[in-house]
Amino acid sequence: MSASQDFKYLHTMLRVGDLERSIRFYSENLGMSEIRRADVPDGEYTLVFLGYGDESTNTVLELTYNYGVNHYEMGTAFGHLALGVSDIYATCEKLRAAGAKISREPGPVKFGTTVIAFIEDPDGYKIELIERH
């Protein structure tokens, strides 16, 4: 049995300082929908799963809010999330107009031809946009 038959990539989890602000960013700016939510008062945290479709067929994003924690240190290990877009220039203009931070303007990747850009979510997590035709 191959490893691909044993494993399925389910989600990526990010800790956020303001849950509703992050949900608004990912839904209004990046078109994700809230799939499910679990509030766990005894554990003092809330989980919200967002994505582009049902968890049974799509990888999703898990936002974790720990009660009373409004800031996290990014550290140096985490790189970025990546999303494919059909028109990176129009997407970046739309995101800029909505107040999103564009940390790398659209353009070809160094030493290549793939067109990318980087944005940041409200907590500073980097999101790479990759133009896909």
Side-chain angles (χ1 to χ4, degrees):
M1 181 179 284
S2 75
S4 64
Q5 293 172 331
D6 293 335
F7 296 96
K8 180 179 187 254
Y9 187 33
L10 301 176
H11 65 262
T12 296
M13 184 273 272
L14 300 176
R15 290 180 178 89
V16 299
D18 181 328
L19 186 58
E20 295 309 315
R21 176 187 70 186
S22 293
I23 291 168
R24 275 192 312 276
F25 175 84
Y26 284 98
S27 15
E28 293 174 9
N29 293 314
L30 302 180
M32 292 185 183
S33 297
E34 184 172 328
I35 297 166
R36 65 184 168 98
R37 180 185 293 236
D39 188 39
V40 185
D42 290 342
E44 298 186 346
Y45 66 88
T46 301
L47 308 176
V48 174
F49 293 82
L50 302 161
Y52 298 113
D54 186 81
E55 288 178 90
S56 64
T57 55
N58 293 278
T59 302
V60 299
L61 179 64
E62 174 189 344
L63 301 178
T64 297
Y65 171 69
N66 292 295
Y67 296 4
V69 180
N70 62 13
H71 177 75
Y72 289 94
E73 295 299 321
M74 286 294 141
T76 58
F78 178 78
H80 62 268
L81 303 174
L83 298 176
V85 298
S86 60
D87 182 341
I88 200 163
Y89 295 96
T91 299
C92 284
E93 285 310 311
K94 178 181 168 192
L95 290 167
R96 187 185 331 277
K101 180 179 180 182
I102 311 289
S103 55
R104 184 207 190 267
E105 293 294 329
V109 67
K110 194 174 187 177
F111 307 115
T113 58
T114 303
V115 179
I116 66 168
F118 276 89
I119 64 172
E120 292 182 22
D121 84 351
D123 289 280
Y125 291 108
K126 305 264 191 261
I127 302 164
E128 180 181 19
L129 303 177
I130 304 170
E131 191 165 66
R132 316 258 316 167
H133 298 286

